[in-house]
Short mmCIF file of all heavy atoms in Angstrom, two decimals:
data_model
loop_
_atom_site.label_atom_id
_atom_site.label_comp_id
_atom_site.label_asym_id
_atom_site.label_seq_id
_atom_site.Cartn_x
_atom_site.Cartn_y
_atom_site.Cartn_z
N LEU A 1 111.84 115.16 108.25
CA LEU A 1 110.96 115.41 107.12
C LEU A 1 111.04 114.21 106.14
O LEU A 1 109.98 113.78 105.61
CB LEU A 1 111.32 116.69 106.41
CG LEU A 1 110.97 117.97 107.13
CD1 LEU A 1 111.36 119.18 106.28
CD2 LEU A 1 109.52 118.05 107.45
N LEU A 2 112.26 113.67 105.91
CA LEU A 2 112.39 112.48 105.07
C LEU A 2 111.64 111.28 105.67
O LEU A 2 110.98 110.53 104.89
CB LEU A 2 113.89 112.16 104.86
CG LEU A 2 114.69 113.07 103.99
CD1 LEU A 2 116.16 112.66 103.98
CD2 LEU A 2 114.13 113.09 102.56
N ALA A 3 111.73 111.16 106.99
CA ALA A 3 111.03 110.04 107.62
C ALA A 3 109.51 110.21 107.50
O ALA A 3 108.76 109.26 107.24
CB ALA A 3 111.40 109.96 109.10
N PHE A 4 109.00 111.47 107.66
CA PHE A 4 107.57 111.76 107.53
C PHE A 4 107.14 111.48 106.08
O PHE A 4 106.04 110.87 105.85
CB PHE A 4 107.29 113.18 107.90
CG PHE A 4 107.54 113.50 109.33
CD1 PHE A 4 107.94 114.80 109.69
CD2 PHE A 4 107.30 112.60 110.33
CE1 PHE A 4 108.20 115.10 111.00
CE2 PHE A 4 107.57 112.88 111.66
CZ PHE A 4 107.99 114.14 112.00
N ALA A 5 107.95 111.86 105.11
CA ALA A 5 107.59 111.64 103.71
C ALA A 5 107.55 110.14 103.41
O ALA A 5 106.64 109.67 102.71
CB ALA A 5 108.62 112.33 102.80
N PHE A 6 108.51 109.39 103.95
CA PHE A 6 108.52 107.94 103.73
C PHE A 6 107.25 107.31 104.32
O PHE A 6 106.60 106.42 103.69
CB PHE A 6 109.77 107.32 104.38
CG PHE A 6 109.72 105.83 104.48
CD1 PHE A 6 109.99 105.05 103.36
CD2 PHE A 6 109.35 105.20 105.69
CE1 PHE A 6 109.92 103.68 103.43
CE2 PHE A 6 109.33 103.79 105.73
CZ PHE A 6 109.62 103.03 104.60
N LEU A 7 106.86 107.70 105.54
CA LEU A 7 105.66 107.18 106.14
C LEU A 7 104.41 107.53 105.37
O LEU A 7 103.49 106.73 105.27
CB LEU A 7 105.53 107.66 107.57
CG LEU A 7 106.54 107.06 108.60
CD1 LEU A 7 106.35 107.74 109.97
CD2 LEU A 7 106.34 105.55 108.71
N GLY A 8 104.41 108.76 104.79
CA GLY A 8 103.23 109.18 104.01
C GLY A 8 103.10 108.28 102.73
O GLY A 8 102.00 107.82 102.40
N ILE A 9 104.21 108.09 102.05
CA ILE A 9 104.21 107.24 100.85
C ILE A 9 103.82 105.78 101.23
O ILE A 9 103.07 105.13 100.53
CB ILE A 9 105.54 107.31 100.10
CG1 ILE A 9 105.82 108.73 99.62
CG2 ILE A 9 105.62 106.34 99.00
CD1 ILE A 9 107.20 108.96 99.07
N TYR A 10 104.40 105.31 102.32
CA TYR A 10 104.16 103.95 102.78
C TYR A 10 102.67 103.75 103.10
O TYR A 10 102.09 102.72 102.76
CB TYR A 10 105.00 103.67 104.05
CG TYR A 10 104.98 102.23 104.52
CD1 TYR A 10 105.78 101.30 103.89
CD2 TYR A 10 104.17 101.82 105.56
CE1 TYR A 10 105.80 99.96 104.31
CE2 TYR A 10 104.17 100.51 105.99
CZ TYR A 10 104.98 99.58 105.37
OH TYR A 10 104.96 98.28 105.76
N TYR A 11 102.07 104.76 103.71
CA TYR A 11 100.65 104.68 104.03
C TYR A 11 99.79 104.64 102.76
O TYR A 11 98.82 103.87 102.68
CB TYR A 11 100.21 105.85 104.90
CG TYR A 11 98.72 105.87 105.21
CD1 TYR A 11 98.21 104.98 106.15
CD2 TYR A 11 97.87 106.73 104.55
CE1 TYR A 11 96.83 104.98 106.42
CE2 TYR A 11 96.50 106.72 104.80
CZ TYR A 11 96.01 105.87 105.74
OH TYR A 11 94.65 105.82 105.99
N LEU A 12 100.12 105.44 101.76
CA LEU A 12 99.37 105.45 100.53
C LEU A 12 99.44 104.06 99.87
O LEU A 12 98.45 103.64 99.23
CB LEU A 12 99.88 106.52 99.56
CG LEU A 12 99.67 107.98 99.99
CD1 LEU A 12 100.36 108.91 99.01
CD2 LEU A 12 98.20 108.30 100.09
N ILE A 13 100.57 103.44 99.99
CA ILE A 13 100.70 102.09 99.37
C ILE A 13 99.93 101.04 100.15
O ILE A 13 99.13 100.26 99.53
CB ILE A 13 102.20 101.73 99.29
CG1 ILE A 13 102.94 102.67 98.35
CG2 ILE A 13 102.33 100.25 98.82
CD1 ILE A 13 104.45 102.46 98.34
N VAL A 14 100.09 101.00 101.48
CA VAL A 14 99.46 99.93 102.25
C VAL A 14 97.94 100.15 102.37
O VAL A 14 97.20 99.15 102.58
CB VAL A 14 100.09 99.80 103.66
CG1 VAL A 14 101.60 99.54 103.52
CG2 VAL A 14 99.85 101.06 104.48
N SER A 15 97.47 101.40 102.32
CA SER A 15 96.04 101.63 102.42
C SER A 15 95.27 101.09 101.25
O SER A 15 94.06 100.89 101.36
CB SER A 15 95.75 103.17 102.57
OG SER A 15 96.19 103.85 101.41
N SER A 16 95.93 100.90 100.12
CA SER A 16 95.25 100.35 98.97
C SER A 16 95.35 98.82 98.88
O SER A 16 94.78 98.21 97.98
CB SER A 16 95.87 100.91 97.69
OG SER A 16 97.24 100.57 97.59
N MET A 17 96.02 98.22 99.86
CA MET A 17 96.14 96.78 99.88
C MET A 17 95.04 96.12 100.71
O MET A 17 94.63 96.70 101.74
CB MET A 17 97.53 96.39 100.47
CG MET A 17 98.69 96.88 99.68
SD MET A 17 100.28 96.54 100.48
CE MET A 17 100.28 94.76 100.43
N GLY A 18 94.54 95.02 100.26
CA GLY A 18 93.49 94.30 100.99
C GLY A 18 93.96 92.97 101.51
O GLY A 18 95.12 92.59 101.34
N GLY A 19 93.07 92.27 102.16
CA GLY A 19 93.43 90.95 102.66
C GLY A 19 94.28 90.98 103.88
O GLY A 19 94.47 92.03 104.53
N MET A 20 94.80 89.79 104.22
CA MET A 20 95.61 89.67 105.43
C MET A 20 96.93 90.44 105.32
O MET A 20 97.35 91.06 106.29
CB MET A 20 95.91 88.22 105.67
CG MET A 20 96.75 87.91 106.90
SD MET A 20 95.94 88.49 108.42
CE MET A 20 94.55 87.40 108.49
N MET A 21 97.52 90.42 104.14
CA MET A 21 98.77 91.19 103.97
C MET A 21 98.57 92.69 104.14
O MET A 21 99.43 93.38 104.72
CB MET A 21 99.40 90.94 102.59
CG MET A 21 99.93 89.53 102.41
SD MET A 21 101.18 89.08 103.69
CE MET A 21 102.45 90.30 103.27
N GLY A 22 97.45 93.17 103.71
CA GLY A 22 97.16 94.59 103.92
C GLY A 22 97.05 94.94 105.40
O GLY A 22 97.56 95.98 105.86
N LYS A 23 96.44 94.05 106.22
CA LYS A 23 96.37 94.31 107.66
C LYS A 23 97.74 94.26 108.29
O LYS A 23 98.06 95.09 109.18
CB LYS A 23 95.47 93.23 108.30
CG LYS A 23 93.99 93.35 107.89
CD LYS A 23 93.17 92.28 108.60
CE LYS A 23 91.70 92.40 108.24
NZ LYS A 23 90.88 91.34 108.91
N VAL A 24 98.57 93.35 107.83
CA VAL A 24 99.93 93.25 108.41
C VAL A 24 100.72 94.51 108.11
O VAL A 24 101.43 95.04 108.99
CB VAL A 24 100.67 92.01 107.80
CG1 VAL A 24 102.15 92.02 108.22
CG2 VAL A 24 100.01 90.72 108.33
N TYR A 25 100.62 94.99 106.84
CA TYR A 25 101.37 96.21 106.53
C TYR A 25 100.83 97.43 107.22
O TYR A 25 101.59 98.35 107.55
CB TYR A 25 101.35 96.43 105.00
CG TYR A 25 102.33 95.55 104.27
CD1 TYR A 25 101.88 94.54 103.40
CD2 TYR A 25 103.70 95.76 104.41
CE1 TYR A 25 102.81 93.76 102.72
CE2 TYR A 25 104.64 94.98 103.74
CZ TYR A 25 104.18 93.98 102.88
OH TYR A 25 105.08 93.20 102.22
N ARG A 26 99.52 97.47 107.44
CA ARG A 26 98.95 98.63 108.18
C ARG A 26 99.42 98.60 109.62
O ARG A 26 99.69 99.64 110.22
CB ARG A 26 97.44 98.62 108.08
CG ARG A 26 96.91 99.19 106.76
CD ARG A 26 95.41 99.41 106.80
NE ARG A 26 94.72 98.15 106.71
CZ ARG A 26 94.37 97.51 105.59
NH1 ARG A 26 94.69 98.10 104.44
NH2 ARG A 26 93.67 96.39 105.60
N ILE A 27 99.50 97.41 110.22
CA ILE A 27 100.02 97.32 111.57
C ILE A 27 101.47 97.77 111.62
O ILE A 27 101.92 98.50 112.56
CB ILE A 27 99.90 95.86 112.13
CG1 ILE A 27 98.43 95.53 112.32
CG2 ILE A 27 100.65 95.69 113.43
CD1 ILE A 27 98.18 94.09 112.68
N SER A 28 102.27 97.37 110.63
CA SER A 28 103.68 97.80 110.59
C SER A 28 103.77 99.30 110.42
O SER A 28 104.68 99.93 110.99
CB SER A 28 104.41 97.08 109.44
OG SER A 28 103.90 97.52 108.19
N PHE A 29 102.81 99.88 109.68
CA PHE A 29 102.84 101.37 109.51
C PHE A 29 102.62 102.05 110.86
O PHE A 29 103.33 102.99 111.22
CB PHE A 29 101.74 101.77 108.55
CG PHE A 29 101.45 103.25 108.53
CD1 PHE A 29 102.32 104.13 107.95
CD2 PHE A 29 100.34 103.75 109.18
CE1 PHE A 29 102.06 105.49 107.94
CE2 PHE A 29 100.06 105.14 109.20
CZ PHE A 29 100.95 106.01 108.57
N PHE A 30 101.65 101.59 111.66
CA PHE A 30 101.37 102.23 112.94
C PHE A 30 102.53 101.98 113.91
O PHE A 30 102.89 102.87 114.71
CB PHE A 30 100.07 101.67 113.53
CG PHE A 30 98.84 102.19 112.84
CD1 PHE A 30 98.02 101.34 112.12
CD2 PHE A 30 98.48 103.52 112.92
CE1 PHE A 30 96.90 101.83 111.50
CE2 PHE A 30 97.37 104.02 112.29
CZ PHE A 30 96.57 103.16 111.57
N MET A 31 103.19 100.84 113.83
CA MET A 31 104.35 100.60 114.69
C MET A 31 105.48 101.52 114.39
O MET A 31 106.15 102.06 115.25
CB MET A 31 104.80 99.13 114.53
CG MET A 31 103.83 98.09 115.06
SD MET A 31 103.53 98.27 116.83
CE MET A 31 105.12 97.85 117.50
N MET A 32 105.71 101.81 113.09
CA MET A 32 106.73 102.73 112.69
C MET A 32 106.40 104.15 113.12
O MET A 32 107.31 104.91 113.50
CB MET A 32 106.97 102.68 111.16
CG MET A 32 107.68 101.44 110.71
SD MET A 32 108.21 101.50 108.96
CE MET A 32 106.58 101.40 108.16
#
């Protein structure tokens, strides 16, 4: 549950990011 919560918060953060860094963080989210 802690891992799921971390991924949920991480997604909320990276989904609001744009540009190349946003794509990199979204890829890292899916990998996790």
Side-chain angles (χ1 to χ4, degrees):
L1 288 181
L2 288 176
F4 295 147
F6 169 79
L7 287 176
I9 296 172
Y10 189 81
Y11 177 76
L12 292 176
I13 295 174
V14 301
S15 62
S16 62
M17 299 175 63
M20 181 59 66
M21 290 303 298
K23 292 182 179 179
V24 171
Y25 280 113
R26 281 191 285 273
I27 291 174
S28 67
F29 167 76
F30 287 113
M31 293 298 294
M32 286 189 290

